[in-house]
C-alpha cells in the first residue's frame, strides 16, 4: 500500500455523531455518515484547513480561495438547499456561504466546540477541501492550488487522526509530506476521465498523468520540481 493511500485512510472528514451508523468506503479512503440522520462534523477539521490555507496560500496559491465540497458515493453533492451551518452546544449557528457551483465557504471557525451540521440526509456524505484560483476551473487547475490542497487534506487528517494513525502520519511527514516522490495524492473527478495532462507555464509538450484504475481520479505531479506552481493540470472526460 502506498503512503498516499495510507494518509487517505486516516482522513475522516465526515464524522458521525455518537448515535449514527458508519460505513467504510470500499477503497478504505474515508469513513462516511450513513442513514437518514443529521450531518455532524467536528469543526476542528475546518479550523485545521483554514489554518493551513492561511499559512501557505501566499507561497502556493496567492489568488486561491478555499471552499469545501460534499461527496456521496463518488459523486459530488451540491450544498445548495442543505442548510449547512456551524453550530455550537448552545445552539448558536453561523450559516455557510454557498457559491454558484454548490461549494461551501466558512468564516473563521469561532473558538470552542463547533460542528458543521445539516438536516437529515438520505445516505452517507464526506467533506473534501478544494482550492481554486481565479481564471481556473475544475478541469483547468493550477498545480500550486493542488499542492496547497494536499497540505490542507493532511492537516485535516491530523486534526481527526486516532493515536494509532499518528505513526503513519509521522512516516508521511518524515519522507517529505506532499512533496515526496513516495506519496500519491489522487484527486477525484466528478465524471469518468478520458485523460489528464500537466502543461508547464513556459511551454513544451504536455505531460500525461496517471489515472486511477477506475478512471475516477488522476495523480497530479506534486513532487515534480521542474513544474512550477503555474503549471496547469487539464482534464477531459469520457
Amino acid at each position: 500500500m502506498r503512503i498516499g493511500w495510507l494518509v487517505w485512510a486516516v482522513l475522516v472528514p465526515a464524522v458521525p455523531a455518537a448515535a449514527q451508523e458508519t460505513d467504510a468506503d470500499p477503497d478504505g479512503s474515508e469513513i462516511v455518515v450513513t442513514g437518514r440522520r443529521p450531518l455532524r462534523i467536528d469543526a476542528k477539521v475546518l479550523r485545521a484547513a483554514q489554518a493551513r490555507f492561511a499559512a501557505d496560500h501566499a507561497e502556493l496559491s496567492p489568488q486561491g480561495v478555499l471552499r469545501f465540497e460534499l461527496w456521496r458515493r463518488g459523486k459530488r453533492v451540491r450544498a445548495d438547499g442543505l442548510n449547512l451551518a456551524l453550530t455550537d452546544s448552545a445552539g448558536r449557528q453561523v450559516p455557510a456561504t454557498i457559491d454558484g457551483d454548490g461549494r461551501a465557504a466558512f468564516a473563521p471557525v469561532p473558538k470552542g466546540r463547533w460542528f458543521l451540521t445539516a438536516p437529515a440526509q438520505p445516505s452517507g456524505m464526506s467533506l473534501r477541501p478544494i482550492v481554486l484560483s481565479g481564471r481556473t476551473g475544475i478541469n483547468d487547475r493550477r498545480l500550486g492550488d493542488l499542492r496547497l490542497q494536499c497540505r490542507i487534506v493532511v492537516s485535516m487528517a491530523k486534526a481527526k487522526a486516532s493515536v494509532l494513525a499518528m505513526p503513519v502520519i509521522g512516516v508521511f511527514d518524515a519522507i517529505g509530506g506532499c512533496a515526496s516522490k513516495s506519496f500519491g495524492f489522487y484527486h477525484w473527478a466528478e465524471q469518468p476521465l478520458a485523460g489528464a495532462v500537466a502543461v508547464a507555464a513556459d511551454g513544451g509538450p504536455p505531460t500525461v498523468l496517471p489515472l486511477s484504475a477506475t478512471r475516477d481520479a488522476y495523480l497530479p505531479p506534486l513532487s515534480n520540481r521542474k513544474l512550477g506552481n503555474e503549471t496547469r493540470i487539464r482534464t477531459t472526460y469520457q
Side-chain angles (χ1 to χ4, degrees):
M1 181 180 290
R2 296 189 65 180
I3 291 293
W5 288 118
L6 288 173
V7 171
W8 276 112
V10 300
L11 175 57
V12 190
V15 179
Q20 294 177 343
E21 301 173 357
T22 62
D23 184 28
D25 209 16
D27 66 359
S29 61
E30 296 173 346
I31 295 176
V32 298
V33 181
T34 63
R36 185 178 287 276
R37 292 183 172 88
L39 184 71
R40 188 172 185 265
I41 302 170
D42 194 321
K44 67 183 179 182
V45 298
L46 297 176
R47 188 180 287 116
Q50 291 173 341
R52 175 56 61 188
F53 179 82
D56 293 349
H57 82 92
E59 172 195 353
L60 298 174
S61 181
Q63 306 302 320
V65 176
L66 174 62
R67 295 285 187 268
F68 294 88
E69 298 177 338
L70 289 166
W71 286 68
R72 178 189 292 128
R73 305 300 182 191
K75 302 291 184 181
R76 186 168 74 89
V77 179
R78 292 181 63 98
D80 316 65
L82 295 185
N83 296 320
L84 288 175
L86 293 176
T87 307
D88 71 355
S89 57
R92 294 176 296 179
Q93 288 195 340
V94 180
T97 299
I98 311 300
D99 68 14
D101 293 314
R103 298 184 176 97
F106 303 93
V109 178
K111 293 182 180 179
R113 292 298 305 279
W114 289 77
F115 296 88
L116 175 61
T117 61
Q121 299 300 320
S123 61
M125 290 195 298
S126 59
L127 185 74
R128 301 176 183 171
I130 184 168
V131 177
L132 287 171
S133 293
R135 298 183 180 180
T136 70
I138 195 64
N139 296 319
D140 185 12
R141 304 288 306 277
R142 287 181 67 259
L143 183 55
D145 292 352
L146 283 162
R147 284 171 169 154
L148 178 54
Q149 189 171 309
C150 178
R151 294 186 187 183
I152 291 171
V153 165
V154 175
S155 293
M156 292 172 70
K158 290 179 178 179
K160 283 304 298 176
S162 66
V163 173
L164 293 177
M166 291 310 294
V168 175
I169 296 180
V171 171
F172 170 77
D173 287 338
I175 64 172
C178 291
S180 171
K181 293 182 180 180
S182 299
F183 171 69
F185 172 81
Y186 276 91
H187 180 74
W188 277 276
E190 297 184 18
Q191 300 178 40
L193 292 165
V197 296
V199 181
D202 58 0
T207 300
V208 177
L209 304 179
L211 304 180
S212 65
T214 52
R215 307 186 76 87
D216 58 355
Y218 63 89
L219 190 64
L222 304 185
S223 64
N224 189 335
R225 297 182 181 180
K226 295 180 180 179
L227 296 176
N229 291 330
E230 295 302 326
T231 297
R232 289 301 182 97
I233 307 300
R234 293 178 176 144
T235 55
T236 53
Y237 295 134
Q238 290 183 348

